[in-house]
Amino acid sequence: MTTAAARDAASASASWTVAPEPYDSPVAAALWRAYYTEVSDRWYLLHEGRPTDPAELEREVAAESGADLAPPDGALLVARYGDEPGGTAGVRLLEPGLAELKRVFVREELRGLGGAPVLLAAAEEAARALGAGRIVLDTRTDLVEARALYTRHGYEETEPYTTRPYAEHWYGKKLG
């Protein structure tokens, strides 16, 4: 069966669900490792012509525990396709009324099955539940799929609100 046919067959019997997940769970750790591997490899291949060195990856994973996504001021969401963990998004309050969207990711083999919009909507709802009326994020130029997703869902480019390494584009959206 071709990949497209396999995806069509799978999509007929599975659907996306999103639920909060402890930031330090094994499911979160596996999804974040996949996220960091992909975005790091893309950056290094683009800028240095090589994949990420394993030690570099371990430093990046260790540097971001995800503790800032824990309640009461944050939320980590995991999207599942059927029973399979397939994506993640984090939300944290930067200040009263303002939330930041972080680590939006859908595993490559599950892309194209509608998970990203479901995950994004759940993250926005989580931000509202934290009391946010506005949500912001930063991303890189080479993450064109992410930038397209955000603009399709009402995010607009804004002035920088961070000075993080790798942040090249900043987006914001008023939450209804």
Side-chain angles (χ1 to χ4, degrees):
M1 185 180 297
T2 67
T3 302
R7 269 205 305 220
D8 290 345
S11 66
S13 63
S15 63
W16 288 97
T17 57
V18 180
E21 180 83 19
Y23 74 90
D24 56 353
S25 76
V27 168
L31 287 167
W32 285 346
R33 181 164 297 281
Y35 164 79
Y36 277 119
T37 299
E38 180 175 336
V39 297
S40 184
D41 279 352
R42 283 178 72 161
W43 192 90
Y44 279 106
L45 287 167
L46 179 65
H47 295 282
E48 297 186 13
R50 65 171 178 88
T52 309
D53 176 90
E56 291 167 327
L57 180 65
E58 292 308 315
R59 278 193 303 274
E60 289 297 320
V61 170
E64 291 284 334
S65 71
D68 57 339
L69 303 177
D73 294 326
L76 171 68
L77 303 171
V78 167
R80 286 179 169 76
Y81 189 67
D83 293 331
E84 184 178 358
T88 185
V91 178
R92 68 179 182 148
L93 283 179
L94 293 177
E95 60 188 53
L98 181 64
E100 182 180 38
L101 181 62
K102 297 180 62 154
R103 300 185 188 188
V104 177
F105 173 73
V106 173
R107 289 185 15 232
E108 186 174 11
E109 64 273 17
L110 296 175
R111 292 179 191 156
L113 299 174
V118 171
L119 191 53
L120 192 55
E124 291 171 3
E125 185 57 38
R128 281 188 210 77
L130 292 171
R134 181 164 173 77
I135 191 166
V136 295
L137 64 97
D138 63 51
T139 191
R140 297 188 332 223
T141 298
D142 64 307
L143 300 176
V144 294
E145 304 91 342
R147 292 174 37 225
L149 172 72
Y150 301 134
T151 57
R152 272 195 318 272
H153 291 276
Y155 288 77
E156 296 179 346
E157 284 210 57
T158 65
E159 292 298 315
Y161 69 93
T162 62
T163 57
R164 292 186 192 126
Y166 314 113
E168 298 169 317
H169 296 270
W170 296 262
Y171 290 85
K173 179 180 181 180
K174 185 176 178 172
L175 299 172

